[in-house]
Amino acid sequence: MDATVTKRWLLARLYEPEQTIVDCRFTLGKPEAGRESYEQEHIPGAVYLDLEHDLSSPAGEHGGRHPLPDPQVLAARLAKLGIGNDSRIVAYDDECGMNAARLWWLLRYLGHENVFILEGGFSAWKAEKFPVTDHQPVRVPSTFEPKVQPQMLANVDEVRQVSEQTVAATSSSPSALPVLIDSRAGERYQGKEETLDKKAGHIPGAVNYFWKNTQNEDGSYKSAEQLVEHFAGLDKDREIIVYCGSGVTACPNILALEKAGYRKVRLYAGSWSDWISYSENLVATGEK
């Protein structure tokens, strides 16, 4: 089954007991806005998970603006909300799916595959006049045992090595190196503007695939065929390491890559904000 579900699919299964709906709405710069929106109205039965309090660890010197949460801490939080190893999770947000994709990736990182993203998010659901409520459900705690998948991650040392080897490679070099993908908007990748991090530019050797270009205007993901065309310049046999500003918007790009048939995809979780926290790391600007 696809990693995304339609509004009508969810409507037909809204009250199935094995399912947990998770509201992931969050606005950068307005950390309380997501929870406030949830408390005002949300999809019936939905619980709330906050990007910074639940789906990230506190930021430190390294690790980026949104470090990954400790697996045991996240597992305990999920269990408290009634999410168990047998649960089906449907996540949504109102930010083109980027926070929902963060939860989607994290659950798979914990070994839980039965997780999906609602196409279009909350506004699209409400626009269809589908039910909303301000009632917060009482959840019976469950048990969630994480089975961490470390192969889904790339650390800064690996990324540094790939960057150096990519820059040093020539046209005659073997093309077995992993591909570094920068998921941010072109202006940030090129170093023309930067409003979130202390340095502008990109990791040397990375190529730019803006995450929002994987979606249609209504916030739904493009079809598998369209995504195959979108990523046509990438070899499916090569490993791909995806990053963004802080490890969040890389996740919808990972979802899109997998939908297009790429299977060797990893996340550099600290991403650009982690990369620039090391003074020895080089910074590139421009188109390449």
Side-chain angles (χ1 to χ4, degrees), residues 107-120:
L107 282 163
R108 293 168 69 250
Y109 177 61
L110 298 187
H112 191 91
E113 295 286 340
N114 198 12
V115 54
F116 307 94
I117 295 174
L118 177 64
E119 294 272 22

Side-chain angles (χ1 to χ4, degrees), residues 21-40:
I21 303 169
V22 182
D23 187 317
C24 299
R25 284 178 285 176
F26 183 88
T27 304
L28 287 174
K30 299 179 180 179
E32 302 302 322
R35 179 171 290 280
E36 290 172 357
S37 295
Y38 167 77
E39 291 173 351
Q40 291 171 7

Side-chain angles (χ1 to χ4, degrees), residues 238-252:
R238 292 174 69 179
E239 184 180 351
I240 296 172
I241 298 174
V242 187
Y243 76 92
C244 57
S246 67
V248 177
T249 57
C251 295

Side-chain angles (χ1 to χ4, degrees), residues 85 231 249:
N85 293 96
F231 293 117
T249 57

Side-chain angles (χ1 to χ4, degrees), residues 55-73:
L55 306 183
S56 306
S57 291
E61 180 182 3
H62 301 298
R65 285 183 279 109
H66 294 114
L68 293 184
D70 178 273
Q72 293 296 336
V73 172

